[in-house]
């Protein structure tokens, strides 16, 4: 305890004496939700259970029967895969082991410190054999050797079983996430948490829920992960478990309350929001100009679909289709679509365009400084402005006066430049993570945020602002970034 106080005091002094406060990762600045389904080990205190996963540590509040935020935004750990985890009975000391080192967690500063050896830990929990007799959840089975078999006949090994000596078993699986059971009946209850796969291409906010999807990678479970921030809980719409919704990369999401539209490499899938089931599919056989869907925008019963080879308008939930300017956008990528009044704004592989739905008139938009040329990856409306992102930077267009303002933020990123805007910042994906342009200042300036600030990766594919938080989609998960943190010095 004395050692911990000394370490904390030294760090506290550094925090307030350093001239470069930007180098300090602030508490609660960022937390990442990833594929936590691969569990190496379980540890339990009197109040919490900790699951060491391949993407960090997740923790469950036993008294309140709910998940708490994962320890993925903590500073000081060099490897996200946690091999082992230990905690004492009263939750005062938490230790973790990666492939390279041992660490001790400092709760005060939300930081890990490397240690040379593991101290003696007071905890009478005990690990059981992985083939311990367990009763499976409804429609599941257990097979010999300690594997959980789901309703789709997929098998997932049990990786750890912990008896906390207070009446419960805590179970880790390799691929299906965490579970628990009373030690008396051993009837297993799944307690899912995290994403189905790490790569996040699409984020859609709907009715206080965050819908997340992306590339399937090598995950055995794929589809859409739906996060409830208020309850800090997840549920899923899995792909690959039926022919109605096969496994494949999901590039974009949009919705209208009743339906969620899923843009994939196989066309558009329509998800009934209430039943949480895919009810229809629109592809080239149904009039879509190309199956690889890159962008979506819906309005009422009309859906505008941007593909790798042009733009299609679908009406009446798939009853009719119309190619929009096929002679001009044929074999052109439609990266982004925004609907402002009766105008469709398009970010394409050949520039930015405004299309009138009433007159069928098409106009190309170029700014005086020629930043918006070539590939236009993102368009974002905010109040009376439209923002455009290219590899050269960002342009703000006043839709009432036609005046433009340019911000040069060069990147070598290919096929992606996410953009999000509110009344204070413009957030844009960069070569090293993301850049905030503080445009609403007398002298606008920018600041870059990287893995040193809590991002899990420098590869950012999607950005969505949500009040005080920015949802950041990367190849290593979904990060909730506190963009308005008052303790941060920009």
């Amino acid at each position: 305890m004395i050692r911990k106080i000394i370490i904390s005091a030294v760090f506290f002094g550094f925090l307030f004496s350093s001239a470069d406060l930007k180098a300090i990762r602030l508490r609660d600045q960022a937390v990442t939700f990833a594929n936590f389904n691969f569990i190496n080990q379980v540890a339990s205190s009197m109040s919490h259970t900790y699951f060491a996963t391949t993407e960090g540590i997740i923790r469950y509040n036993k008294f309140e029967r709910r998940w708490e935020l994962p320890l993925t935004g903590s500073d000081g750990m060099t490897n996200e895969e946690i091999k082992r985890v230990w905690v004492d009975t009263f939750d005062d000391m938490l230790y973790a082991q990666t492939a390279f080192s041992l660490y001790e967690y400092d709760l005060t500063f939300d930081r890990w410190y490397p240690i040379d050896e593991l101290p003696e830990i007071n905890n009478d929990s005990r690990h059981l054999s992985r083939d311990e007799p367990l009763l499976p959840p409804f429609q599941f089975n257990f097979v010999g050797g300690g594997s959980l078999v789901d309703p789709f006949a997929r098998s997932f090994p049990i990786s750890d079983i912990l008896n906390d000596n207070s009446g419960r078993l805590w179970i880790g699986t390799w691929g299906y996430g965490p579970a628990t059971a009373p030690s008396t009946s051993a009837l297993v209850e799944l307690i899912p948490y995290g994403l189905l796969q790490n790569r996040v291409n699409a984020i859609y906010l709907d009715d206080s829920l965050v819908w997340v999807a992306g590339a399937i990678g090598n995950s055995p479970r794929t589809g859409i992960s739906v996060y409830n921030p208020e309850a800090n809980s997840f549920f899923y719409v899995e792909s690959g478990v039926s022919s109605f919704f096969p496994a494949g990369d999901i590039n974009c999401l949009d919705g209208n309350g009743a339906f969620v539209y899923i843009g994939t490499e196989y066309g558009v899938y329509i998800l009934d929001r209430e039943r949480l089931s895919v009810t229809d599919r629109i592809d080239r056989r149904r009039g879509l100009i190309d199956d690889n869907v890159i962008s979506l925008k819906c309005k009422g019963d009309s859906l505008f679909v941007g593909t790798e080879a042009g733009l299609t308008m679908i009406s009446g939930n798939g009853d009719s289709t119309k190619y929009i300017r096929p002679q001009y956008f044929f074999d052109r990528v439609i990266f982004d679509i925004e609907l402002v009044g009766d105008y469709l704004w398009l970010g394409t592989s050949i520039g930015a365009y405004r299309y009138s739905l009433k007159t069928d008139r098409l106009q190309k938009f170029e700014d005086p400084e020629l930043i918006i040329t070539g590939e236009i990856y993102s368009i974002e409306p905010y109040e009376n402005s439209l923002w455009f992102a290219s590899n050269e930077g960002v342009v703000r267009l006043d839709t009432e006066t036609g005046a433009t303002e340019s911000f040069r933020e060069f990147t070598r990123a290919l096929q992606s430049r996410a953009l999000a805007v509110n009344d204070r910042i413009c957030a844009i994906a960069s070569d090293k993570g993301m850049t905030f342009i503080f445009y609403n200042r007398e002298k606008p300036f920018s600041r870059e945020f990287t893995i040193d600030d809590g991002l899990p990766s420098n590869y950012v594919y999607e950005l969505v602002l949500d009040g005080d938080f920015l949802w950041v989609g990367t190849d290593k998960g979904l990060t909730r970034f506190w963009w308005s943190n008052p303790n941060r010095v920009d």
Side-chain angles (χ1 to χ4, degrees):
M1 182 61 72
I2 293 175
R3 174 181 170 275
K4 183 181 289 189
I5 291 172
I6 292 173
I7 291 175
S8 299
V10 170
F11 181 75
F12 189 80
F14 172 75
L15 177 64
F16 289 97
S17 64
S18 172
D20 187 10
L21 292 178
K22 294 181 182 179
I24 305 301
R25 185 184 301 180
L26 300 175
R27 186 180 180 88
D28 298 327
Q29 176 72 86
V31 59
T32 294
F33 307 91
N35 183 353
F36 300 130
N37 289 316
F38 294 88
I39 297 171
N40 284 310
Q41 196 186 49
V42 185
S44 186
S45 67
M46 185 179 293
S47 60
H48 291 78
T49 298
Y50 297 84
F51 296 86
T53 83
T54 54
E55 303 298 332
I57 295 175
I58 56 177
R59 52 185 173 180
Y60 188 82
N61 188 312
K62 295 159 64 174
F63 293 155
E64 299 178 12
R65 292 183 60 83
R66 64 174 179 85
W67 287 103
E68 294 184 358
L69 292 176
L71 299 177
T72 51
S74 307
D75 199 6
M77 191 169 294
T78 57
N79 191 311
E80 65 268 14
E81 177 166 4
I82 311 300
K83 299 291 188 181
R84 302 186 69 185
V85 62
W86 301 267
V87 65
D88 73 328
T89 300
F90 298 103
D91 224 30
D92 292 323
M93 296 183 292
L94 179 66
Y95 303 91
Q97 183 181 39
T98 69
F100 305 105
S101 185
L102 281 168
Y103 294 89
E104 179 181 4
Y105 179 63
D106 188 305
L107 181 63
T108 303
F109 294 105
D110 189 27
R111 182 177 175 84
W112 294 95
Y113 294 96
I115 57 176
D116 295 328
E117 60 182 354
L118 191 70
E120 183 176 346
I121 299 172
N122 179 24
N123 192 314
D124 58 359
S125 299
R126 46 194 184 89
H127 295 274
L128 306 180
S129 169
R130 286 179 291 181
D131 57 3
E132 181 81 10
L134 298 169
L135 293 178
F138 179 64
Q139 294 186 328
F140 285 74
N141 284 297
F142 283 110
V143 297
S147 288
L148 176 69
V149 179
D150 75 357
F152 310 105
R154 299 175 300 182
S155 181
F156 301 89
I158 301 294
S159 52
D160 195 17
I161 302 175
L162 184 78
N163 188 329
D164 67 3
N165 279 326
S166 66
R168 293 207 73 83
L169 304 178
W170 299 94
I171 303 158
T173 72
W174 193 252
Y176 218 92
T180 186
S183 54
T184 50
S185 69
L187 177 60
V188 172
E189 173 194 357
L190 299 171
I191 45 176
Y193 193 73
L195 306 182
L196 289 175
Q197 63 261 328
N198 282 329
R199 169 80 177 253
V200 176
N201 292 339
I203 303 169
Y204 168 56
L205 304 186
D206 168 43
D207 193 24
S208 301
L209 298 176
V210 185
W211 298 67
V212 184
I216 60 176
N218 57 2
S219 175
R221 300 172 66 202
T222 60
I224 302 175
S225 306
V226 187
Y227 177 57
N228 183 334
E230 184 176 350
N232 189 28
S233 62
F234 283 85
F235 63 89
Y236 309 107
V237 180
E238 285 200 52
S239 61
V241 295
S242 74
S243 59
F244 295 104
F245 188 24
D249 292 350
I250 296 175
N251 302 317
C252 49
L253 297 168
D254 200 15
N256 59 9
F259 299 99
V260 175
Y261 299 96
I262 308 165
T264 78
E265 57 185 324
Y266 306 126
V268 178
Y269 291 88
I270 302 176
L271 174 75
D272 185 294
R273 176 72 172 75
E274 185 176 349
R275 292 190 293 166
L276 291 178
S277 61
V278 171
T279 59
D280 202 1
R281 173 188 176 186
I282 303 171
D283 56 14
R284 292 184 67 176
R285 293 173 298 179
R286 298 270 304 274
L288 205 61
I289 200 167
D290 187 78
D291 281 342
N292 192 16
V293 176
I294 308 298
S295 54
L296 290 170
K297 181 59 64 175
C298 66
K299 181 183 179 181
D301 66 348
S302 294
L303 180 68
F304 301 93
V305 183
T307 74
E308 206 170 44
L311 180 65
T312 307
M313 183 178 75
I314 302 169
S315 300
N317 211 20
D319 293 337
S320 65
T321 60
K322 172 188 175 183
Y323 298 155
I324 298 180
R325 289 297 182 107
Q327 72 278 11
Y328 200 86
F329 292 122
F330 176 73
D331 210 24
R332 308 295 187 183
V333 183
I334 310 297
F335 291 112
D336 200 8
I337 306 170
E338 286 296 339
L339 193 59
V340 181
D342 294 321
Y343 291 101
L344 207 62
W345 287 87
L346 308 172
T348 79
S349 55
I350 53 172
Y353 291 84
R354 187 179 75 168
Y355 173 74
S356 172
L357 296 173
K358 285 187 173 181
T359 66
D360 193 39
R361 186 182 180 190
L362 184 70
Q363 295 173 296
K364 187 172 185 179
F365 168 66
E366 290 183 346
D367 64 294
E369 296 188 31
L370 298 180
I371 290 177
I372 304 305
T373 59
E375 292 91 351
I376 308 303
Y377 297 116
S378 299
I379 303 175
E380 188 73 15
Y382 184 75
E383 294 183 344
N384 297 323
S385 297
L386 270 177
W387 295 73
F388 304 82
S390 74
N391 279 342
E392 300 295 324
V394 181
V395 171
R396 177 189 184 188
L397 169 68
D398 188 314
T399 54
E400 293 184 341
T401 67
T404 62
E405 185 178 11
S406 301
F407 304 88
R408 287 202 175 271
E409 294 290 339
F410 181 76
T411 182
R412 293 179 176 84
L414 297 176
Q415 304 297 305
S416 174
R417 192 148 208 210
L419 179 70
V421 182
N422 63 14
D423 61 338
R424 290 170 54 187
I425 67 166
C426 168
I428 182 172
S430 71
D431 287 334
K432 296 182 179 179
M434 62 183 179
T435 298
F436 286 3
I437 302 172
F438 296 86
Y439 71 93
N440 198 6
R441 303 283 184 97
E442 184 177 349
K443 293 183 178 180
F445 66 95
S446 63
R447 176 183 169 183
E448 196 164 49
F449 294 88
T450 70
I451 56 176
D452 293 332
D453 300 288
L455 295 182
S457 169
N458 288 334
Y459 298 98
V460 172
Y461 297 101
E462 182 67 303
L463 295 168
V464 176
L465 279 157
D466 183 17
D468 288 327
F469 296 103
L470 174 68
W471 296 105
V472 184
T474 76
D475 63 329
K476 291 188 177 181
L478 173 73
T479 297
R480 191 195 70 178
F481 193 86
W482 189 7
W483 71 266
S484 62
N485 190 336
N487 298 314
R488 192 180 66 239
V489 177
D490 290 313

